[in-house]
Every structure is written in structure tokens, then in C-alpha cells.
Amino acid sequence: MKPFALRCEYLTDPLGLDVLSPRLNWKLEPSDRRGVAQRAYQILVASSRELLDHDRGNLWDSGQVESDASAHVHYAGAALPSGTRCCWKLRVWDEARTASQWSDPARWEMGLLQPSDWTAQWIASPTAGGDQSMIPTPYFRKEFLIDRPVAGARLHVTARGLYEFSLNGQQVGKDIFTPGWTDYTKRIQVQTYDVTAFLHPGANVAGAILGDGWYCGYVGWFKERQHYGERPSLLAQLEIEFADGERATIVSDGSWETGAGPILQSDMLMGEVYDARREMPGWDAAGFHSDDWCPALIVPDDGARRVGMRSEPVRRQLEIKTVSVSNSIFDLGQNIAGRVRIKLTAPAGTTVQLLHAEALNPDGSLYAANLRKAAATDSYTCKGGGEEIWEPRFTFHGFRYVELKGFPGEATSDMVTGIALYSGMDETGRFECSDELVNQLQTNIQWGQRGNYLEVPTDCPQRDERLGWMGDAQVFIRTGAFNFDVAAFFTKWQGDIADAQADSGEFPAAAPVMRRSNMLREGGPAWADAGVICPWTVYLCYGDTAILAGHYDSMRRFLGWIESIAIDGIRSHPDGSVWGGFGDWLALDGSPGKGGATPNDLIGTAFYAYAARLMGKIAAVLEKPGDAAEYEALFKKVKAAYQRRFITADGLLASATQTACVLTLQFDLAPEAMRPQILKSLVSSIERNDNKLSTGFVGASYLPHVLTRGGRSDIAYKLLLQKNWPSWLYAVTQGATTIWERWDGWTKEKGFQDPEMNSFNHYAYGAIGEWLYATVAGLDTDPASPAYKHAIVKPQPGGGLTHASARLNTLYGELASRWDIQGETLTLKVTVPPNTTASIHVPAAQDASVTEGCVPAAQAPGVEALGWKNGAAVYRVGSGTYRFAARQEPSRKT
Ligand code: BGC
């Protein structure tokens, strides 16, 4: 047994870290043995690889620590000043007290922690665009001499805008859209790269290209650009350590030169315009000179905090081949966020345009009406003289189809390759079952996530929007955490939420906040509440208490703000002066507007109660019993107010919408005795509607869970398998490759929905994914032992499915379940990762004998029988693989 997958603050070998006592994670190798557990660990952290190889931890030797913790173990060694290099490894002792081998080494390095570590200055081009006009993208260069052998070099770099940095003509790092999107007026991420191999003796050249990006380009639907500042600027500090121990620092300052080149325009929404004839060969190599270049302008620092990266940057994740659908239109076969790379040969001066769209009109042309103001058009002018390959730098689009306009010859599909861009996150989950349409739905959900987890969780990647909408993010986060490892992604975004919080305590509708417009400071129910729901979900899925502790005061202020605006315990009260929220966004239940028929004050008060209850749980996790009691009391108070206003003495809801029933049940807002009555109304509303839902963003995500909890998973399955719209599978039957914003984005009867709001890549309704993993396949965590340290494996077969399976790479390793129904027998295979335990609920007829392997389950090694519960035999197990089999109730047979 050897520990592996060593991570520091969720990241693999991070450089430029600014967490003073970083948390370390590792996994234990799976074994054929059951009940593998860690009893103790020893961590060594050394300042060099040599010391570590000699088993010396000069920065920290934890000694043998009796503990089963293999996640979130805080570094507790010597203080780590700026630039400290830390190499680390560990060994563990298992349940039999056998010591493992040492793990392979891993590392992290501290960044520039003190403002005084920085001597670089912000530099920019003297020319700036206007609030509605774009200018050519500035290039920067600086030549410097290296006269001695280099032992090591680190580049600390960031930009207000986007940058691409090179050393001696070679791009540093593979990251896209660095430094990433934050509220640049408050906090700006710095990247650190090991650039030792980029330098050579003699003249060296540092080069940078700056894009407008989120900083000063178009963002959202706003008419004006320049949300955070008027022009992009660069801050770079190259620290070189020579073999003789001397050091040198090259920094951005007034000695850098700047000029414009082939990128005539570059914007996230509008696209990029590139004229290859204007390339400047050698601009990033020694000896370049051009009269058109001038000294860079030094621009002031605006006091924003410089922080290390907490998440993985956006990268080119996948390449996708295209097929031609006409002379000039190509199909990726998949709706993505990204762009295309073209390869073409044409005479100098030939300009080709690349237009992007998610769908085609009935006449075969691109359906671009739903892009609104986003031109999503790239343009390339050839320099001639042979094959040219080009991909834009500082833009991305949401699309499946590309039109190549202006190419003089016959365009072929090998000229156009799709490139999917999204934030670095490991794929952790798989779900699969016997229904191919549901499998395609799962694929679409994953692609919806890839297309929208780009720096921040966005609503959609195609139109002039692409904002970090909080409502969308919170409904989907649990699904997101099944599909991919999103711990680091949400750690970073929670910082954006904190920066976006108003002084009075309210969270916004979207984060980061757009400074120029200061838009939607009050997020409204279910949107603002993401500020509490998301960190709680990160805690559940990853056992992360730091995100709770770090944002506890901010969440408390938010709850305080709700209390201050609520009237008699009712949030979004019609008599109040505060905006009531988006409602059950895009619900189909008939009220005018986009928020459906469920009243805002019902949604508002339901989420008030929910947020109070979550705060109680968070306070309990953080061992603040006084606060926990205070919030539980607040929950009860709000629940009472909710009942007074929305539930009659007979158990009728004042609003009869599906979402009203769902929220009342999901958040435990009705008296216990009235639950059956409310569930009955919900079920009959669905049945009256031909087994169809009418909920919007707010209700849809909880709907299947509420039905399952009420013992009506049969109805949840009917909704899941419904093929007529509104339903999850309708879009699938229409060839969707992502999740649509609206249940009726396109219908056979009506064609396309209103183009003003008709995204075909909006993950919110993909929140059904959580139910697929947690209920159909049955993988869940025990909230009392989060991060699947104790897993609850409780599949609930139904809907005529004959098998379903899910795998989840948890912080401890792979947790998996697969059930098959054959005739009367259900078999359930479960894998539990090392150092964890699980409760396994095997669905079985009441009198059935359950086997594990070839023996009665209760006698199987490592299996403890816990009795029967709700139609399942329950067992407790440690790590290992288990095969249960049991006869089913006749109703469950397929
Ligand atoms: C977005 C949504 C978002 C909403 C606010 C829309 O324009 O696309 O997904 O949550 O505005 O209700």
C-alpha cells in the first residue's frame, strides 16, 4: 500500500500559493482486502528534493500521527516565507499497523506574499479603446542579458485584462484567459510559472500580448465596455537564481516597449480579427527593432489584492473534428464553449470569417438570433505563401456549427477543428443505465458543465451574457460535484461572491459583480442564497470546513440582511421596498413574466428558512453551538411565518404550483401531518398534466428528490422518462447535445423560442444529474461524515430500467455502484474506497434472503447487517468490493 494522488489545496504541485498553512490530501491504493483503513500518517516537508530523498523533513516532520485523516491535513511546520519551495511525501500505517512505502514526492511553492516583494510596475499601451470602440491588441517586449548559468527562475505574472506571456518566443504555460476573472478592483489572481528552461545565456526576451477580456471588453448585455478599467495592463516579475547563488529580477516597468501587431480587435463576445500580414517576425526574439514601437506607459496600481490561484485555469481541454454540412458550414456534432483552429492555404489578403452558432435554421443557415449582441465572429486575413494555421487568443464562443465565409476554394472539414475550453477540473463521475436516452441526457449534462464552468460558473457561453449567475450555480452545484472535481473551482468562486457582497450584507445575483454597472446588487431568493448553499455543498462533497470558516462572517451578514428586510418573517414581502427576486425562473405555469406563478414571497420565505437551517448546520460544523441554536430558532420562526401565510389549517398551500409544493416539502416547512396532503397535491398536479412538470429553475432541481422522499419515486421516474416537452428527454429526442435554457427552446410545433432568451447550453435543468447519481444509482454521502468518508449507497431502481451504475472518484478514491435486475433478482455491486465506510441499502422483498458473494450477506466477511429499512436490507461495510443479490418485490420486476 502506497499513498498516491498527493494534492495541496486540491491542486497538483501548485506554484505561487498564498495559503500560509496549506491543506494536504492523498489517497490510498485500492486493495483486494476489505476494510482497509489508515490508522496513522507521517508527512515530511523539505526545502529540497535531496533532503526529502534522505527522508528528512527540515520544514516539517509531522512524526507518526494517529489519525485516519487523509484529506485537509494542515501543514504545521516552519513558517513559509515568500518563494519557499516545499517538497513533500508521506507514509501511512494501515488497520493492521503495517507501514506503507513512502509516496512519490510532490511539491508546492509559496508565491510573493508581501506587497513589498513586488518591484514590478503596471504597464500598458499609451492608446486605449473607448467605451464602445476597440483598438488593436498591444504587444510588449523587454530584452535582458543573462551572463551566468541559471539555477532556477520563476515568473510571477498577472494582468488587468488577459495576457499571453512568452520567453524567447516560447509561450509560458498552457493556460488560457489568464489571470482569470475576478472583480479586478478588489482582487486579482497572480500566476507563477517555473521558467528555468526558457532562459539561455546571452540576450533573452520577455514578451506579452494583452487582451481586453472581462476587464475592459464587452461583458454581458451592457452597451458599454470597460467594466473594471479603461485599458489592459501587465504586471510581471521574473526572479532568476543563478548557479553562483546571486539573484536578478526582471520586472515590468517603463523600460518595456509596446507596439501593435496582427490582432486588430479582440473581444470575448465580439470575436477576434487577425491580419497575418501585420505579423512582426522576431518581435519576441533578441535584436528586434521597429520605429512603430514606443515605451510602455506606467499605470497606477489601484490597490486590488494580489492573490495566488485557488483553482485550475482554463485550458484547451478537447479537440473535436468537424463534418461539413454544406459548402461552408461545419458541424462539431457537439455544442461547446471554445473556438476553432483553422488550417488553410489562400492568397495573401484573403479574409475568411468564422461565424458561430448553436443551431441551424430550417433553411440550413446559422441560427444566430439567440446570440443577441454577441457577434461571435472571428476573422483571419491570410499572409499567403503556404499553409496557415490560426486560432484566436482572447475570445471564445458557444457553438456547435461554424460557417467559414470568404474562402476562395472548396472548404473541407479538415480545415476546421473545434477546441473545447473550460476550467481545469478532473472528471470524477460516470453514470450509465439501460436507457440510451437517459445516457445521452447524462452526456448532455456533462457537456453543459464543460461549456459553463469557464473561470466562473456561468449561465451560458454563447449570447451576450455569460455571467456568474448565482441561481444557476446553486441549483447545479451538487450535480457538478458528481461529474467533475469542482472543489477548487468553487473555492475560487466563493471569493468572488465575498468580493461582490454589498456593505449592507446582501449577496448579488451574479458574481463577479460588474463594477461599471454595479448590476443587481441584490440577488433575490434562490440566487443570492448561493452564497450559503454553495459552500455548504462543497463541505458535503469534499468535507471542506475551511470554506465554511473563511466565509462564515460573510454568510452571517447575509442572514442578518435578510432579517433586516423581512416583514413579519416574510422575505420578498410585497409591502417591502426590496426587489422580490426572479421567482421560479422560466417556469411554465402560466403567470405573465418569466418567473412563473409561484409567488415571490413564498419562494423568498422558503429560501430564508432554508438558508437559516443551513447556517445552523454550518455553525454546528464550526463548533459554534450558540450560533447553531440561534439559527435553528430562526429557522423555526421563519417556518412559523411561512405556515401562517402560505398554509391553510387544512393543509392547503396558498399557491398550488408544483414549485410551491416542492419547496414546502424539500425545506420541511409544513407540519409533519400535512406532508402527505401536500405530496398528494404535487402528484396530482403532475398526473393531471400527463406526467409532466411545470416548474422552472427553482422547483425543477428539488422535484425528483421530494417525490422520492415521499415514497413516489415512481412519479419521479415518469418525469425522468417523459419524452414530450416539457421534460428532460424532449431535448434529447430532438438531438440536443447540451441542456437547454428552456423546456421549449425548440419544439416541433412552434420552432425556436423567443431569441431574446433562448440558450441551448444552460446547465440549470441539468440538476437532475444529482438524482441520477444519488437515487437511481444510489451514491450519496452521509452529512455527518461528509466527502463520502461514510457513503450511503442506496439505489432506488424503477422506471423499468434493468440496470444502472455510477462511479465517483471521491477524495478517498473510487466509490461505485451497479445494480442489475434479471427476472426476480437484483444484484448490486458496490466498491467502497480505502479508508472509508458505507451503509449499503440492498433493495429486497421483505422476506428475501440477501446474499453477498456466495454466502448469506450477514455472514459475509466485513459485512455487518443493520436490519431492514423502507424495503431494503441495510449493511455496514468498510472498503472493498461487494456483490449483493436479493429477490425483489414483484412490483419492482421489469
Ligand atoms: C440568465 C439566467 C439567470 C437569469 C436571472 C438570465 O438571463 O441566463 O440563467 O439566472 O437571467 O434570472
Side-chain angles (χ1 to χ4, degrees):
M1 182 170 67
K2 181 168 147 183
F4 72 107
L6 277 61
R7 299 281 184 275
C8 175
E9 287 296 327
Y10 298 118
L11 305 170
T12 306
D13 296 341
L15 303 186
L17 206 70
D18 60 359
V19 181
L20 300 182
S21 169
R23 293 164 299 163
L24 307 176
N25 290 2
W26 58 89
K27 290 178 185 168
L28 306 185
E29 271 172 359
S31 149
D32 292 341
R33 225 167 64 235
R34 290 184 173 175
V36 172
Q38 174 187 299
R39 288 281 172 268
Y41 64 80
Q42 180 183 14
I43 299 172
L44 298 182
V45 184
S47 56
S48 75
R49 186 60 199 277
E50 292 69 38
L51 286 170
L52 194 71
D53 288 347
H54 288 94
D55 299 342
R56 287 198 42 213
N58 63 322
L59 294 173
W60 188 38
D61 179 346
S62 71
Q64 184 173 337
V65 180
E66 294 296 308
S67 166
D68 69 346
S70 57
H72 309 300
V73 174
H74 279 273
Y75 167 82
L80 302 174
S82 297
T84 311
R85 298 183 187 176
C86 304
C87 302
W88 68 289
K89 66 180 180 182
L90 79 146
R91 60 178 166 171
V92 299
W93 285 262
D94 68 12
E95 74 288 353
R97 302 222 153 259
T98 311
S100 75
Q101 297 172 38
W102 287 105
S103 69
D104 290 339
R107 65 172 178 153
W108 82 85
E109 286 185 20
M110 303 305 284
L112 301 183
L113 304 175
Q114 309 299 333
S116 58
D117 294 330
W118 285 93
T119 49
Q121 293 174 291
W122 287 100
I123 56 170
S125 160
T127 16
D131 72 358
Q132 285 173 51
S133 58
M134 295 178 263
I135 57 160
T137 299
Y139 284 57
F140 297 81
R141 70 187 303 279
K142 161 82 185 174
E143 210 162 310
F144 58 97
L145 199 68
I146 290 191
D147 57 3
R148 275 166 288 178
V150 170
R154 296 292 180 271
L155 172 71
H156 306 280
V157 57
T158 188
R160 296 184 291 209
L162 306 175
Y163 74 83
E164 189 182 291
F165 202 94
S166 63
L167 280 167
N168 296 318
Q170 200 188 335
Q171 191 189 330
V172 174
K174 294 195 169 104
D175 306 332
I176 309 273
F177 304 144
T178 43
W181 185 10
T182 52
D183 176 348
Y184 303 101
T185 65
K186 294 202 160 181
R187 170 171 136 269
I188 184 154
Q189 304 184 111
V190 174
Q191 286 78 43
T192 298
Y193 297 100
D194 179 348
V195 291
T196 315
F198 289 71
L199 302 176
H200 53 65
N204 286 257
V205 175
I209 313 174
L210 292 189
D212 290 346
W214 296 284
Y215 183 77
C216 55
Y218 286 105
V219 186
W221 59 82
F222 307 98
K223 210 165 77 228
E224 286 93 14
R225 307 160 74 242
Q226 302 178 318
H227 289 276
Y228 303 96
E230 69 164 356
R231 70 184 86 203
S233 52
L234 173 78
L235 185 80
Q237 184 154 323
L238 171 62
E239 309 216 320
I240 308 171
E241 200 187 311
F242 295 108
D244 61 9
E246 291 290 306
R247 308 178 79 92
T249 308
I250 309 293
V251 297
S252 51
D253 60 17
S255 70
W256 289 50
E257 294 180 288
T258 179
I263 308 179
L264 301 182
Q265 174 190 312
S266 187
D267 183 88
M268 293 294 222
L269 297 181
M270 300 305 166
E272 197 157 296
V273 177
Y274 190 94
D275 186 343
R277 295 170 305 177
R278 300 172 72 104
E279 283 172 358
M280 304 168 289
W283 75 273
D284 49 6
F288 174 82
H289 175 78
S290 163
D291 287 341
D292 297 337
W293 284 56
C294 65
L297 185 72
I298 294 179
V299 287
D301 180 70
D302 57 10
R305 272 165 22 246
R306 295 173 199 167
V307 298
M309 289 293 282
R310 299 303 303 270
S311 60
E312 299 284 353
V314 175
R315 299 211 177 90
R316 288 183 188 85
Q317 305 283 4
L318 292 162
E319 294 210 349
I320 300 172
K321 289 198 162 81
T322 58
V323 295
S324 358
V325 286
S326 72
N327 286 344
S328 59
I329 296 183
F330 300 92
D331 179 6
L332 274 68
Q334 176 61 53
N335 195 352
I336 65 164
R339 54 204 187 195
V340 297
R341 185 178 62 228
I342 50 168
K343 187 172 77 178
L344 73 177
T345 307
T350 309
T351 297
V352 294
Q353 278 195 317
L354 293 157
L355 287 77
H356 303 78
E358 293 181 289
L360 297 179
N361 288 311
D363 66 1
S365 62
L366 296 188
Y367 169 72
N370 67 336
L371 305 181
R372 303 195 308 215
K373 195 179 83 270
T377 302
D378 299 326
S379 151
Y380 179 81
T381 302
C382 299
K383 59 186 170 205
E387 187 175 270
E388 298 175 44
I389 295 176
W390 179 73
E391 178 192 334
R393 275 191 173 81
F394 299 126
T395 192
F396 73 96
H397 316 291
F399 67 104
R400 169 176 168 169
Y401 299 94
V402 194
E403 181 167 6
L404 181 68
K405 268 194 177 160
F407 183 65
E410 193 188 321
T412 50
S413 61
D414 62 327
M415 291 167 54
V416 182
T417 305
I419 296 172
L421 302 175
Y422 50 91
S423 285
M425 46 187 185
D426 288 340
E427 194 169 328
T428 46
R430 280 284 161 90
F431 170 86
E432 194 263 338
C433 70
S434 55
D435 187 304
E436 280 313 317
L437 292 177
V438 175
N439 293 340
Q440 183 62 43
L441 172 68
Q442 162 64 12
T443 304
N444 295 2
I445 295 170
Q446 276 179 311
W447 270 105
Q449 184 168 0
R450 291 190 181 101
N452 283 292
Y453 276 26
L454 191 145
E455 255 306 297
V456 306
T458 60
D459 54 336
C460 57
Q462 73 297 87
R463 67 178 175 229
D464 57 354
E465 188 134 11
R466 316 180 191 187
L467 301 176
W469 284 105
M470 308 253 294
D472 310 41
Q474 68 86 0
V475 301
F476 188 76
I477 182 173
R478 186 72 203 273
T479 301
F482 276 111
N483 289 328
F484 293 89
D485 178 350
V486 298
F489 183 78
F490 276 97
T491 301
K492 182 264 173 184
W493 191 58
Q494 195 66 29
D496 297 334
I497 296 176
D499 281 350
Q501 186 170 26
D503 293 341
S504 40
E506 67 259 42
F507 286 134
V513 149
M514 313 296 300
R515 276 296 155 204
R516 181 169 188 152
S517 62
N518 240 359
M519 66 165 264
L520 300 172
R521 293 315 311 259
E522 206 291 274
W527 269 252
D529 304 78
V532 177
I533 299 169
C534 290
W536 173 252
T537 310
V538 171
Y539 168 73
L540 273 187
C541 299
Y542 305 100
D544 191 326
T545 52
I547 195 168
L548 301 180
H551 295 279
Y552 186 69
D553 288 344
S554 143
M555 294 188 264
R556 240 178 112 73
R557 284 197 292 123
F558 172 59
L559 263 288
W561 173 80
I562 306 182
E563 253 183 296
S564 76
I565 56 117
I567 299 178
D568 297 332
I570 300 299
R571 180 182 180 190
S572 304
H573 196 292
D575 296 343
S577 54
V578 172
W579 175 65
F582 295 106
D584 187 18
W585 190 243
L586 301 186
L588 293 165
D589 48 14
S591 89
K594 295 164 180 163
T598 313
N600 280 349
D601 50 346
L602 185 147
I603 297 176
T605 310
F607 272 86
Y608 181 13
Y610 179 42
R613 177 158 259 192
L614 287 185
M615 282 303 283
K617 293 183 184 183
I618 291 169
V621 168
L622 297 178
E623 295 173 15
K624 297 175 189 290
D627 288 6
E630 179 198 316
Y631 284 116
E632 190 53 30
L634 178 62
F635 167 73
K636 290 199 175 110
K637 194 177 111 190
V638 179
K639 175 174 173 171
Y642 184 92
Q643 292 182 358
R644 278 197 304 276
R645 191 168 173 89
F646 302 113
I647 308 181
T648 71
D650 301 332
L652 293 177
L653 284 180
S655 160
T657 65
Q658 292 179 7
T659 290
C661 299
V662 165
L663 298 183
T664 307
L665 294 170
Q666 173 75 13
F667 299 151
D668 295 320
L669 300 177
E672 203 50 40
M674 290 179 183
R675 288 186 68 92
Q677 162 82 19
I678 296 169
L679 182 74
K680 209 168 124 201
S681 324
L682 174 62
V683 170
S684 52
S685 156
I686 295 169
E687 285 176 336
R688 274 198 315 272
N689 201 16
D690 295 328
N691 290 319
K692 287 186 286 201
L693 49 72
S694 57
T695 47
F697 277 29
V698 172
S701 60
Y702 302 119
L703 179 56
H705 301 278
V706 159
L707 291 165
T708 307
R709 181 169 154 198
R712 297 309 305 268
S713 59
D714 58 325
I715 302 290
Y717 272 106
K718 283 188 177 149
L719 292 174
L720 170 69
L721 299 174
Q722 173 64 256
K723 293 188 195 61
N724 296 321
W725 80 269
S727 72
W728 283 279
L729 291 189
Y730 176 71
V732 175
T733 63
Q734 301 311 307
T737 61
T738 36
I739 302 295
W740 296 353
E741 175 174 27
R742 311 182 80 129
W743 297 116
D744 56 353
W746 184 89
T747 62
K748 276 176 273 199
E749 302 78 22
K750 297 186 294 183
F752 288 112
Q753 247 283 9
D754 177 1
E756 275 310 297
M757 256 195 36
N758 199 23
S759 150
F760 289 100
N761 197 355
H762 232 79
Y763 57 61
Y765 288 140
I768 182 78
E770 173 185 352
W771 192 74
L772 299 179
Y773 279 101
T775 303
V776 178
L779 297 185
D780 206 348
T781 187
D782 180 350
S785 190
Y788 307 87
K789 181 82 170 115
H790 181 74
I792 309 287
V793 180
K794 190 178 172 188
Q796 305 206 40
L801 300 183
T802 52
H803 76 258
S805 65
R807 289 193 279 136
L808 176 65
N809 198 354
T810 71
L811 280 190
Y812 300 93
E814 186 163 289
L815 172 70
S817 116
R818 177 185 170 108
W819 56 260
D820 285 86
I821 297 180
Q822 261 186 338
E824 291 200 323
T825 306
L826 175 137
T827 52
L828 173 63
K829 182 179 166 198
V830 178
T831 300
V832 179
N835 205 25
T836 70
T837 52
S839 298
I840 302 178
H841 297 240
V842 183
Q846 187 63 45
D847 57 345
S849 54
V850 181
T851 56
E852 194 284 309
C854 305
V855 296
Q859 293 160 24
V863 177
E864 182 194 347
L866 299 181
W868 289 80
K869 209 174 167 190
N870 301 331
V874 188
Y875 302 93
R876 188 185 161 92
V877 301
S879 78
T881 294
Y882 303 84
R883 280 163 228 275
F884 294 93
R887 191 171 54 75
Q888 298 301 288
E889 294 290 2
S891 60
R892 192 162 276 153
K893 281 187 293 175
T894 52

